[in-house]
Amino acid sequence: MSDAADLFGHRPMQGSLFGEEEGRMAAPRRDVLPDPQDVRSRLHALLARARAAEAMPWSERDARMWQTVFPNMANWLPADEADQLRFDFAREMERLSRAA
């Protein structure tokens, strides 16, 4: 954002709140990547909870959330491992949904 006056002679009172670069807004940068071992541990814990349950261990809302979040979290792992975890989790969720 420049300090140039607009057509009415007004100047901006402060800089951009949105991190403009070269006149365009930039998306926030995320320089920190999740640790694959932390992701792996979390996914295995969720899968173990599902496997140990005889009925859905989460509320309907939380179950829907995990059906979205689990596959996305798996994206941080190597492709073969991620695919297997997604498959196993989907199979357990299907089993649990039939048990209800």
Side-chain angles (χ1 to χ4, degrees), residues 25-43:
M25 290 193 316
R29 290 182 43 179
R30 182 171 181 176
D31 295 331
V32 179
L33 296 176
D35 178 18
Q37 188 55 43
D38 290 341
V39 171
R40 185 176 291 113
S41 295
R42 182 71 186 264
L43 294 178

Side-chain angles (χ1 to χ4, degrees), residues 1-81:
M1 179 173 251
S2 70
D3 289 330
D6 64 14
L7 294 174
F8 301 103
H10 298 115
R11 294 187 183 280
M13 294 183 69
Q14 65 184 33
S16 171
L17 298 176
F18 304 105
E20 291 182 22
E21 295 176 5
E22 300 177 14
R24 297 178 55 188
M25 290 193 316
R29 290 182 43 179
R30 182 171 181 176
D31 295 331
V32 179
L33 296 176
D35 178 18
Q37 188 55 43
D38 290 341
V39 171
R40 185 176 291 113
S41 295
R42 182 71 186 264
L43 294 178
H44 280 282
L46 289 164
L47 186 55
R49 183 173 179 189
R51 284 179 173 156
E54 292 182 22
M56 185 63 72
W58 299 287
S59 68
E60 184 179 329
R61 179 176 180 249
D62 285 349
R64 283 194 317 269
M65 184 264 308
W66 283 122
Q67 286 177 309
T68 300
V69 172
F70 190 102
N72 287 318
M73 285 177 65
N75 289 333
W76 294 106
L77 299 175
D80 290 344
E81 182 181 7

